[in-house]
Amino acid sequence: MNDMHHDRKPEVNASPNDLSPENLAAIGTGHITYIKALRSEDVARIFPQAPALQPGLDLFALLAADGTPILLTDSREAAVANAAEHDMVTVSVH
């Protein structure tokens, strides 16, 4: 049986103390996302190309592991569904 697995992710052989924040974020690039709750007043900071929004709206941003913005929505469920639709895993960050 062939032991080649094209879908296998590379193993990381380093302790968390050995990884810089940049290297840690790069591990999940393209696969790991997180959701950030934010107010419409804060959207321009993360999505500078977004049009002006009505103040006071509760929104959710889907972000790549490195913080790159992917999606802005008014529903956490929509952000999770979008990640799943694109074969990305959403993780909790605190």
Side-chain angles (χ1 to χ4, degrees):
M1 178 176 219
N2 188 343
D3 197 14
M4 297 283 296
H5 296 285
H6 297 288
D7 294 334
R8 181 178 281 173
K9 305 283 188 275
E11 291 184 30
V12 177
N13 295 317
S15 76
N17 294 334
D18 295 335
L19 294 173
S20 70
E22 295 82 15
N23 289 338
L24 188 58
I27 290 171
T29 300
H31 303 287
I32 306 293
T33 62
Y34 65 98
I35 297 171
K36 179 178 181 71
L38 66 153
R39 302 282 290 184
S40 53
E41 296 89 338
D42 300 321
V43 167
R45 183 174 43 85
I46 297 174
F47 294 88
Q49 73 282 11
L53 298 172
Q54 174 184 342
L57 299 175
D58 292 320
L59 301 169
F60 298 88
L62 179 65
L63 305 167
D66 66 358
T68 301
I70 298 171
L71 172 83
L72 181 66
T73 182
D74 63 352
S75 154
R76 186 178 200 296
E77 292 78 17
V80 170
N82 186 276
E85 183 178 312
H86 292 94
D87 297 321
M88 294 181 272
V89 176
T90 304
V91 298
S92 288
V93 291
H94 302 279

